[in-house]
Every structure is written in C-alpha cells, then in structure tokens.
Amino acid sequence: MKLAVVGGGSTYTPELIDGFARLRDTLPVSELVLIDPAAERLELIGGLARRIFARQGHPGLITTTSDLDAGVEGADAVLIQLRIGGQAARLQDETWPLECGCVGQETTGAGGLAKALRTVPVVLDIAERVRRASPDAWIIDFTNPVGIVTRALLKAGHKAVGLCNVAIGFQRRFAALLDLAPADIHLDHVGLNHLTWELGVRRGGPDGEDLLPRLLAKHGEAIAGDLHLPPSLLDRLGVVPSYYLRYFYAHDEVVRELATKPSRAAEVAAMERELLALYGDPALDEKPELLARRGGAFYSEAAVDLAASLLGDGNGGAPAVQVVNTFNNGTLPFLPDDAVVEVQARVDGSGPRPLAAPALDPLYTGLIAHVTAYEDLALDAALRGGRERVFRALLAHPLVGQTDRAEGLADRLLAHNKEHLPWA
C-alpha cells in the first residue's frame, strides 16, 4: 500500500508517522512519500520519520520529494495538510480582523475566509494532478477550513473525505472521564466543521445508552473549563459544543482577550522553531513531547482509521463508523444536499455514508444554516475571486453581518493577501 502526504514538511508530520508506525496492523503501509517544496524541512522530517519507523520495527519505505506528480503516482490514498502562506499568513489572519472588532482566527470568521481563498485553488490543483496520476486514489483532506475545502473537492468530482480531530479529541476525553475504552464511546456528533455539538455520548454504538447526562452532571465543570465556557451554559444546553463555538457564544469577550495577549500564530511559530531543532537531532527516534502542544492531537489515529476503512478489507482495514466531512445528502434536512456536514458516517471502500442524525433544536439549526450559507458564498469567492464576492461572504458570516465591518474586512483581507490571490 502506498500513501502520500502533501505537506509532508509540516511539523505535524511526526504525529502522523507515529500513528502509521504504531497502527501498522490496521494500515499496513509499504511505501510512504512525504511531499513538500520546503527542502530543508522535508529533509529534517523525513530523517526523523525513518528513525521512528526503525525504532518501532516498521518495514515500510519512507521517501521524500518536492515533485508532486511523481510523489502521488500510484498512491492508494493522498493526505493533504497544507498551510498556504505559512505561519506568517496565519499571523495576519489572527490580527487584522481585530481592527474591525471581529475575532481573529485562522478558520473562523474573516481570517477563516482569507485562508479559504488562499487554499481552495491550490488544493483543487493538487487534486487534479492526483486524479491524473492515480485516478483511484482517495484524497483525505486535513487542510483547514476543512468544510469549505472538502466541499470544493467533492463538487469537482474528486474521491475525497474531510477529516478533523475535534471529534476524536472529545471521544478520548470523555472515555477517560467515564473510565471507558475509547472504542466504547460513540458520539452523536452533528454540525459543520468547527461548528459541532455532541448531542449524545453513547456506550458501545449508535444505539447504546446515552451517558451524556451522567457525564455533564459529574464532570460538567471540567468540560466547561476545557471549552472556556461557563458550566451554567452546558447545564442549560444539555449538550457539549465544540470549543470553536466560543467564538460565537462569547465573541466580544474573545475579541477583548485576543487584543491583549500574544497571538496563537506567534506561539506556534516559536514552537515550530523549537520542534525543527529537535527534529534535526539524529538521536531522536520518537515524536517529542512538545509536539502535543502544537495541536492536532489524535490526528494520526483518526487518519489511520479513516484510510484503513476507505482502502478496504484487503488492505487490513474494515468498514467502521467514523466522524467525517462529506456531502449532506439529506442527513440534515434543512440543508442543501451538496452542503458538507461533519457527522458520524459508516465508511468503507465506497466512501462515507452518513448515519441518521438526531433531531436538532432550532438553536443549532439556525446557526448551522447561517454558516452553511456563508460557506457557499466563501467557496464562490475562492473559485471566482472578486472583491464583491469577498464582501458578500463576509456580510453573510454571523460573526460579521454589518455593512461597515464587511467593507473594512474586505479591504484588509485583500491588502494582506495580494501575493496569494492573483485576481486581487
């Protein structure tokens, strides 16, 4: 089995490599290609990747290349994990929206739109080249904003599935609090990428006992602390929102915080410098502890499980229920079929098939529909360009929604992203 990772020079990659090494019975990779134009980073991370495989006795071959077409040729699956513009662009995404009184964040609000505009055309170009070189390959997208990028891929007819680590993070956290194995926890996880709620926490499977009331009663304060939301809100909702919901439920408070502390981009950039120095140590043959603070926890395990199910029984995997981003196709009846939702789905070699979703309160359907409309406009702007399309997407976003703010944000977005947007 051959896998390719586009963006293999990411500091995330050793997390992925560790998962491939530990879970080789689930996903027996014979060849892994790391693809990245950043030659120095790729050399460092490729060396560490080989040492991790060797330490854990994995027989697979790891190669590195900056040649995308050669790297993806013959691949069974291609994982895409890109950051167009690097941490410098992320720093801008987190900064200029604050000038208009809006949250500065890399996947949500105006910053998220900027990232979508930079990213969608690049990912679509990569996908077309994958289709030419390996027409049967599955594309697994971990590139944010996952929902918009996955929608672009699917609407262009690619064999693609979007992946996020929010759900598996909740699964592991809840399992630990309930003293259960993660495999015994099934989440009623519903919404859009970075806009989800856990409506149930079930023992054993989709039809199992709902442990969420017990979980909130005993551990609600701790969970609320993780989310930086008041415990009283969880008590009133009776569900667990994604931590990204804080940008909606406490927007003005978050803006005040972001205006008075170092940006996450600056923290991550410093962490990446330290990680790259560690990766260059020829004695290092495991992922360093510092990587856990970089983000992306459990991404490798989610990616391994998803790839194994997509590539079928013959390659060691098996059909399984997993949280993915895929076409709605009636799962949430108030959304268009071609919206991309993040829900539980049964995944096998034919792709994901969403499970029936629990009924949703209007408190959630309204926000989901609102953000879906924004994502539709955001994708249109990413595909066709133009300041007016950028303005319309911003005006539609529930975290913007005012003409003067949308005008100011559109001007700033274009000014800070000219080098990545040829039409700007």
Side-chain angles (χ1 to χ4, degrees):
M1 179 192 304
K2 176 179 177 179
L3 298 188
V5 180
V6 181
S10 168
T11 53
Y12 273 130
T13 299
E15 163 71 25
L16 193 60
I17 300 299
D18 177 74
F20 289 151
R22 287 185 295 101
L23 302 171
R24 57 185 175 272
D25 291 339
T26 301
L27 189 69
V29 177
S30 57
E31 182 180 0
L32 178 63
V33 184
L34 306 181
I35 305 167
D36 203 291
E40 288 187 18
R41 287 174 65 120
L42 192 59
E43 182 179 356
L44 283 178
I45 291 166
L48 174 58
R50 294 185 191 98
R51 296 193 296 272
I52 291 173
F53 264 33
R55 176 190 175 101
Q56 300 199 31
H58 195 298
L61 172 68
I62 296 178
T63 61
T64 61
T65 183
S66 59
D67 187 333
L68 174 70
D69 300 299
V72 301
E73 186 173 1
D76 296 289
V78 177
L79 284 76
I80 302 180
Q81 50 173 37
L82 300 177
R83 184 181 296 281
I84 306 302
Q87 294 299 331
R90 176 179 181 170
L91 178 60
Q92 296 294 337
D93 293 344
E94 294 180 354
T95 304
W96 53 262
L98 296 173
E99 298 171 5
C100 297
C102 293
V103 68
Q105 210 276 333
E106 64 161 340
T107 64
T108 298
L113 175 60
K115 187 167 190 180
L117 298 180
R118 295 192 302 268
T119 304
V120 166
V122 176
V123 171
L124 287 178
D125 177 66
I126 291 168
E128 287 297 336
R129 293 162 72 177
V130 170
R131 180 151 54 189
R132 290 196 296 268
S134 302
D136 294 326
W138 279 101
I139 294 174
I140 298 174
D141 178 64
F142 191 65
T143 299
N144 281 319
V146 168
I148 295 173
V149 173
T150 302
R151 191 175 188 186
L153 288 166
L154 290 174
K155 286 176 74 70
H158 295 290
K159 290 178 61 178
V161 184
L163 179 66
C164 181
N165 68 322
V166 167
I168 194 171
F170 273 134
Q171 181 203 42
R172 299 308 170 88
R173 175 66 166 143
F174 296 163
L177 291 172
L178 293 166
D179 197 25
L180 293 171
D184 291 333
I185 294 295
H186 175 93
L187 301 177
D188 289 341
H189 179 99
V190 180
L192 311 177
N193 180 242
H194 291 185
L195 194 85
T196 53
W197 295 262
E198 310 308 326
L199 305 184
V201 178
R202 300 187 181 277
R203 187 199 299 266
D207 299 319
E209 175 192 5
D210 186 6
L211 304 177
L212 181 57
R214 182 194 314 175
L215 182 71
L216 289 176
K218 189 173 183 180
H219 303 288
E221 189 167 342
I223 295 170
D226 294 341
L227 304 174
H228 301 287
L229 289 170
S232 60
L233 178 62
L234 270 62
D235 290 341
R236 296 169 73 179
L237 296 179
V239 304
V240 178
S242 159
Y243 43 86
Y244 287 92
L245 265 298
R246 185 168 186 254
Y247 297 119
F248 296 84
Y249 293 160
H251 176 271
D252 293 352
E253 179 184 347
V254 173
V255 169
R256 288 192 294 270
E257 288 177 4
L258 294 175
T260 58
K261 71 176 187 178
S263 71
R264 175 63 177 164
E267 293 175 359
V268 170
M271 202 178 304
E272 286 199 335
R273 290 191 291 271
E274 189 174 348
L275 283 169
L276 290 170
L278 291 172
Y279 294 168
D281 180 357
L284 183 68
D285 57 4
E286 59 184 343
K287 66 177 183 180
E289 291 184 11
L290 178 62
L291 186 55
R293 290 167 40 208
R294 171 65 181 81
F298 309 116
Y299 159 43
S300 62
E301 295 174 41
V304 166
D305 288 344
L306 178 55
S309 292
L310 290 171
L311 297 178
D313 293 327
N315 288 313
V321 174
Q322 296 161 26
V323 172
V324 298
N325 285 260
T326 191
F327 272 149
N328 179 46
N329 284 337
T331 307
L332 302 182
F334 55 92
L335 295 184
D337 285 347
D338 67 349
V340 164
V341 294
E342 185 171 291
V343 293
Q344 291 277 7
R346 185 165 297 280
V347 183
D348 59 22
S350 65
R353 294 184 302 280
L355 304 184
L360 282 170
D361 188 290
L363 181 62
Y364 312 124
T365 61
L367 185 53
I368 292 170
H370 196 162
V371 175
T372 297
Y374 151 76
E375 290 190 347
D376 188 50
L377 293 168
L379 180 55
D380 184 47
L383 294 174
R384 298 201 287 163
R387 185 190 183 282
E388 185 64 18
R389 293 188 181 93
V390 172
F391 168 78
R392 284 165 56 83
L394 289 165
L395 188 62
H397 200 292
L399 297 184
V400 181
Q402 298 179 52
T403 302
D404 57 345
R405 283 186 170 181
E407 295 281 16
L409 289 167
D411 288 340
R412 288 166 172 79
L413 187 155
L414 297 179
H416 286 287
N417 288 276
K418 282 185 177 179
E419 65 179 297
H420 303 292
L421 305 176
W423 50 266

